[in-house]
Amino acid sequence: MARQDFSQTPGETTGLQPQVEPQRHVRCVPGDVAPHVLLPGDPGRAQRIAAGLPEARLVAQNREFVVYTGRTRAGTPVSVCSTGIGGPSASIALEELARVGGTCFIRVGSAGGRQPGVALGSLVIATAAYRADGTSRAYVPPEFPAVADLGITLALARAARRLGYAFHHGIVFSRDAFYRQDPGLNRQLTEAGVVASEQECATLFVVGAVRGVRVGAILATDSNILLERQPPAAERERLFRQAEAQMIDVALAAVDDLAQGSEPW
Ligand SMILES: O=P(O)(O)O[C@H]1O[C@H](CO)[C@@H](O)[C@H]1O
Ligand SMILES: O=c1cc[nH]c(=O)[nH]1
């Protein structure tokens, strides 16, 4: 983008102080981003979300980071930024968006069900994450819990209920290596009640805690390794797209509630 000037763009920094230069990766400046931000991993999902937002404009696009800002149908300013796959890029997005004004973040991701009762196309509200990511360990020791913001989690649950969408809730398994399965760990986590598996919640929850911004998450399932009958690809896609649309509805309704100060405290 024309605004980018690498000679002025800082490299690694540790503070949260506002900067006039565009952020190195998301390429946003203060004013580009609303306080409430949806965080899909997939840039295509960012585009699909923006397509449903009145007055949405493409703010920046660089690498996996595609940023839109618009309003919900109820008029709440909201931004959307894709984080790419995995903790490293998710941490970069969260760090840089927080520096330019994001304060309340909702991951809207895809996931695989990890309980037999989590059908394809289910909604899962993540209350916490098992930290099998590498990035969060760069921030705090592994004993530190990766926990979703309580107010965001309650707002997501209330919004899903109000919209009439069933949902699961619980701990999710955030892991780095998509194609590497550990059957022993999988069994242990399923027995411990882990609901779904994905790749960014642990990083986002921990970085949110360290940087003092709020992070919650809602996921739509596109698979479940525990199902005896795996539906054909077209059916999986249909079920996921339906759940994805519901997930976006829920997240935007939660943004409206949060912006109106819906918390009981
Ligand atoms: O659909 P998104 O939000 O990218 O989330 C999931 O999909 C990707 C893997 O296919 C990982 O990023 C995982 O967390
Ligand atoms: O990590 C992921 C994301 C989506 N679906 C999965 O099965 N796993």
Side-chain angles (χ1 to χ4, degrees):
M1 300 229 153
R3 224 173 34 212
Q4 181 71 1
D5 176 355
F6 281 106
S7 67
Q8 295 183 349
T9 302
E12 294 175 346
T13 59
T14 53
L16 282 173
Q17 61 273 45
Q19 298 164 4
V20 177
E21 300 88 355
Q23 293 296 314
R24 182 184 179 102
H25 301 91
V26 301
R27 305 222 172 151
C28 294
V29 296
D32 282 344
V33 167
H36 296 85
V37 187
L38 303 194
L39 298 176
D42 177 5
R45 189 172 314 127
Q47 197 276 328
R48 290 192 287 281
I49 296 168
L53 297 179
E55 301 170 38
R57 67 187 171 97
L58 179 66
V59 166
Q61 183 164 14
N62 181 45
R63 296 180 180 242
E64 57 269 68
F65 309 108
V66 181
V67 187
Y68 296 90
T69 294
R71 292 181 183 277
T72 66
R73 290 202 188 94
T76 310
V78 66
S79 294
V80 185
C81 176
S82 50
T83 63
I85 291 181
S89 61
S91 72
I92 286 170
L94 187 59
E95 290 266 14
E96 295 188 1
L97 292 165
R99 289 174 189 168
V100 294
T103 58
C104 184
F105 297 88
I106 302 179
R107 165 157 161 74
V108 283
S110 66
R114 288 302 179 109
Q115 292 293 324
V118 177
L120 266 64
S122 293
L123 297 182
V124 173
I125 296 173
T127 55
Y130 179 88
R131 291 176 54 194
D133 67 316
T135 305
S136 71
R137 286 165 195 246
Y139 284 83
V140 283
E143 291 80 9
F144 187 93
V147 182
D149 177 85
L150 178 60
I152 295 176
T153 307
L154 291 174
L156 289 167
R158 272 197 302 264
R161 185 84 184 260
R162 199 166 60 238
L163 291 165
Y165 301 144
F167 62 92
H168 302 270
H169 63 93
I171 300 170
V172 301
F173 177 19
S174 298
R175 61 200 197 96
D176 282 344
F178 183 89
Y179 287 111
R180 166 83 177 101
Q181 295 292 353
D182 178 338
L185 180 60
N186 285 349
R187 198 175 320 110
Q188 197 179 7
L189 293 182
T190 294
E191 284 170 10
V194 159
V195 194
S197 165
E198 55 80 73
Q199 299 190 251
E200 293 83 17
C201 282
T203 304
L204 292 170
F205 293 164
V206 166
V207 178
V210 171
R211 293 300 183 222
V213 294
R214 308 174 67 186
V215 183
I218 182 166
L219 308 165
T221 64
D222 61 6
S223 66
N224 187 331
I225 58 174
L226 300 168
L227 294 183
E228 276 175 21
R229 190 189 78 83
Q230 297 292 337
E235 177 68 352
R236 285 205 304 271
E237 176 74 7
R238 188 187 70 74
L239 290 168
F240 173 68
R241 288 286 177 221
Q242 187 178 318
E244 182 190 57
Q246 294 176 353
M247 168 174 74
I248 294 166
D249 282 352
V250 171
L252 291 171
V255 163
D256 286 329
D257 283 3
L258 289 160
Q260 285 159 21
S262 63
E263 282 97 339
W265 49 84

